């Protein structure tokens, strides 16, 4: 099978979509599938066995501001689809003479918009986090009362691309329910298949002394719950004088409406945590994957304190795969990954006192850490590893191709029936 992945997110740029696409490409090649990736032209990371085609990026940042401008600058947006048009041109020039069996893209950005009328190849849309969800969790930080027209247009195109796809896949039931209601799509249109993880790369290491660190990995922004975490770690730092808190992620501007001091998230975190504990707050902007794995292997626990909606959560999954016990909030995806007090701990979002209790429990109880870490690893192996998830994805590809040939070879890829 020859699979084409169409994505503006690809390492070293992008977030969860890029992580998923890279994992997917590597895993499919390991299964003997042929993979071509159409992506950005900003030095995309090579992937052994994967053909990478580069399409120049248009400047989609004009007219945006704040966090939305930064997101667009990280190659997440395809407003009015100039990149999609260029990608279609490259596809026609470079791949039209080759047999491509199926095309997968994300719903975000509607990057396959100009592929929708192609009756030669079925389209799979995997949902990650559409513009309507991004806006709902970020609009308070932009100072804008309503969604800008350019983003409304993008949301409409994302919805239409998804509706016209031959197959829709969601990594969680929570996201499938959300989009079914928001976009008025039958829930039966969504196949729920989790994002896969390379459990051989993300795995526990050899036994070594713990670093006595509480670990956070992710962007330093409000909707990720970092200010709740800052408040929650104060009693932990007071009680355990040998514990540090490590924040790994991009430092973002502090929202103007937030009462804390300083221009950046790091400044605001330091204004929440009393000054005597500042030397136990560790900040790192970016580290390679191998170092992230090393940090997980040595940490006391990982914390994913999201306030907004999580469609899945690779951050949760990566920690669990490394045997690092996780505290996460009940914010969508993590609810479907973690079973509370079996392979991790779950707390309500926006409740720093409860988050503090959960972190304090793990810091204080080594047997609890061992039990949750071991069970978390078992959950990853049983439900989320490449060897478990990728065959399900390939099976879904084959079924989509079969239905496409049987029912859609003579017209647009409109699938309004049950998958």
């Amino acid at each position: 099978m020859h699979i084409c992945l169409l994505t503006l997110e690809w390492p070293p740029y992008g977030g969860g979509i890029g992580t998923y696409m890279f994992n997917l490409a590597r895993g499919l090649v390991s299964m003997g599938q042929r993979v071509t990736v159409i992506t950005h032209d900003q030095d995309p990371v090579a992937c052994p066995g994967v053909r990478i085609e580069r399409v120049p990026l248009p400047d989609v940042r004009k007219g945006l501001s704040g966090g939305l401008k930064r997101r667009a600058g990280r190659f997440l947006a395809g407003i009015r689809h100039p990149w999609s048009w260029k990608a279609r041109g490259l596809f026609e020039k470079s791949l039209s003479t080759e047999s491509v069996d199926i095309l997968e893209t994300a719903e975000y950005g509607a990057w396959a918009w100009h592929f929708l009328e192609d009756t030669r190849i079925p389209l799979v849309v995997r949902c990650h986090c559409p513009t309507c969800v991004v806006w709902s969790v970020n609009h308070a930080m932009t100072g804008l009362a309503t969604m800008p027209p350019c983003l409304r247009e993008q949301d409409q195109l994302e919805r239409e691309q998804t509706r016209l796809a031959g197959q829709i896949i969601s990594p969680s039931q929570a996201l499938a329910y959300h989009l079914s209601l928001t976009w008025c799509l039958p829930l039966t249109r969504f196949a729920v298949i989790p994002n896969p993880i390379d459990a051989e790369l993300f795995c526990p290491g050899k036994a070594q002394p713990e670093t006595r660190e509480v670990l956070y990995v992710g962007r330093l922004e409000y909707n990720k719950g970092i200010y709740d975490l800052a408040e929650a770690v104060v009693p932990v730092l007071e009680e355990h004088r040998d514990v540090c808190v490590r924040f790994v992620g991009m430092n973002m501007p502090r929202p103007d409406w937030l009462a804390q001091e300083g221009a950046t998230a790091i400044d605001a975190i330091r204004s929440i945590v009393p000054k005597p504990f500042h030397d136990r707050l560790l900040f790192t902007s970016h580290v390679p994957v191998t170092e992230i794995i090393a940090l997980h292997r040595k940490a006391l626990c990982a914390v994913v304190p999201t306030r907004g909606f999580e469609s899945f959560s690779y951050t949760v999954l990566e920690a669990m795969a490394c045997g690092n016990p996780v505290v996460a909030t009940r914010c969508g995806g993590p609810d479907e990954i973690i079973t509370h007090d079996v392979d991790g701990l779950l707390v309500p979002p926006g409740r720093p006192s409860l988050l503090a209790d959960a972190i304090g429990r793990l810091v204080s109880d080594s047997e609890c850490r061992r039990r949750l870490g071991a069970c978390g690893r078992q959950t990853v192996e049983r439900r989320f590893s490449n060897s478990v998830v990728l065959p399900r994805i390939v099976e879904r590809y084959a079924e989509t191709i079969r239905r496409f040939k049987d029912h859609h070879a003579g017209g647009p890829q409109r699938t309004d029936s049950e998958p």
Side-chain angles (χ1 to χ4, degrees):
M1 190 183 299
H2 185 183
I3 301 143
C4 182
L5 305 180
L6 180 67
T7 176
L8 257 177
E9 282 202 28
W10 183 266
Y13 300 106
I17 299 174
T19 299
Y20 163 76
M21 288 292 193
F22 190 77
N23 285 340
L24 178 64
R26 293 177 69 239
L28 290 172
V29 167
S30 72
M31 295 177 67
Q33 308 296 336
R34 185 180 174 193
V35 179
T36 297
V37 173
I38 300 177
T39 188
H40 59 78
D41 63 341
Q42 305 297 300
D43 297 321
V45 171
C47 186
V50 175
R51 173 180 174 181
I52 297 180
E53 296 283 352
R54 307 179 184 189
V55 176
L57 288 158
D59 185 359
V60 298
R61 295 173 291 178
K62 293 179 180 179
L64 301 180
S65 61
L68 293 171
K69 182 173 183 179
R70 288 188 296 275
R71 286 186 68 84
R74 289 197 299 273
F75 315 111
L76 302 182
I79 297 171
R80 296 189 177 87
H81 306 282
W83 187 85
S84 178
W85 179 258
K86 292 180 180 179
R88 174 63 185 270
L90 181 145
F91 183 87
E92 292 293 338
K93 180 178 179 181
S94 302
L95 295 171
S96 61
T97 59
E98 303 182 30
S99 176
V100 175
D101 297 296
I102 198 161
L103 175 73
E104 177 173 333
T105 193
E107 93 290 23
Y108 187 87
W111 299 324
W113 181 255
H114 290 289
F115 291 76
L116 287 174
E117 298 302 319
D118 194 329
T119 60
R120 299 167 299 172
I121 180 172
L123 173 65
V124 172
V125 168
R126 175 172 276 264
C127 300
H128 295 269
C129 198
T131 295
C132 58
V133 175
V134 174
W135 171 258
S136 69
V137 298
N138 282 329
H139 76 279
M141 289 181 285
T142 68
L144 301 174
T146 59
M147 185 185 291
C150 60
L151 295 184
R152 285 202 303 272
E153 177 185 351
Q154 178 166 307
D155 177 57
Q156 292 169 358
L157 295 176
E158 289 170 0
R159 178 178 57 193
E160 190 68 2
Q161 174 191 266
T162 303
R163 186 179 70 84
L164 292 173
Q167 177 65 67
I168 309 170
I169 300 178
S170 171
S172 66
Q173 197 69 53
L175 182 61
Y177 279 128
H178 184 91
L179 293 182
S180 176
L181 291 171
T182 303
W183 284 349
C184 298
L185 291 171
L187 190 59
T188 53
R189 290 289 315 278
F190 295 83
V192 177
I193 303 176
N195 293 340
I197 188 169
D198 187 341
E200 295 182 2
L201 176 63
F202 288 89
C203 62
K206 296 180 180 179
Q208 53 187 310
E210 293 174 321
T211 57
R212 302 295 291 174
E213 288 182 0
V214 173
L215 181 64
Y216 167 87
V217 179
R219 291 187 302 276
L220 304 186
E221 58 187 15
Y222 175 81
N223 64 292
K224 292 298 183 181
I226 57 165
Y227 305 115
D228 295 330
L229 177 57
E231 187 175 337
V233 298
V234 173
V236 177
L237 295 173
E238 288 175 342
E239 183 175 352
H240 303 275
R241 298 183 181 277
D242 60 340
V243 169
C244 297
V245 183
R246 183 179 293 275
F247 295 83
V248 180
M250 183 182 298
N251 188 20
M252 308 293 281
R254 175 188 62 80
D256 293 337
W257 49 264
L258 202 64
Q260 276 68 43
E261 300 174 0
T264 70
I266 291 178
D267 296 331
I269 290 170
R270 286 178 171 149
S271 75
I272 295 170
V273 178
K275 193 170 183 179
F277 301 137
H278 283 191
D279 61 343
R280 292 157 63 190
L281 300 177
L282 310 175
F283 296 96
T284 306
S285 177
H286 175 75
V287 296
V289 169
T290 51
E291 191 169 336
I292 291 288
I293 294 170
L295 290 172
H296 276 305
R297 288 172 175 175
K298 296 186 293 185
L300 290 171
C301 64
V303 185
V304 184
T306 309
R307 265 185 174 244
F309 178 77
E310 289 278 8
S311 61
F312 188 65
S313 182
Y314 262 122
T315 306
V316 167
L317 210 59
E318 289 171 358
M320 293 172 66
C322 294
N324 190 10
V326 183
V327 178
T329 52
R330 296 185 180 275
C331 58
D335 270 298
E336 298 178 36
I337 298 173
I338 293 173
T339 301
H340 177 65
D341 211 13
V342 173
D343 48 21
L345 298 178
L346 290 168
V347 299
R351 298 289 296 277
S353 62
L354 297 182
L355 187 62
D357 291 343
I359 297 170
R361 177 183 172 189
L362 289 182
V363 169
S364 302
D365 190 340
S366 60
E367 176 55 29
C368 182
R369 293 199 302 273
R370 186 205 62 77
R371 174 176 61 84
L372 294 180
C375 290
R377 172 65 190 183
Q378 292 171 6
T379 295
V380 169
E381 292 174 343
R382 186 177 70 255
R383 296 176 52 203
F384 302 104
S385 64
N386 280 350
S387 61
V388 173
V389 177
L390 287 175
R392 294 178 60 190
I393 293 176
V394 171
E395 182 180 359
R396 183 62 61 170
Y397 285 162
E399 173 62 17
T400 304
I401 293 168
R402 183 192 66 75
R403 286 191 290 106
F404 183 82
K405 289 180 177 178
D406 289 347
H407 304 291
H408 304 288
Q413 299 178 56
R414 188 181 302 272
T415 305
D416 295 321
S417 60
E418 181 172 336

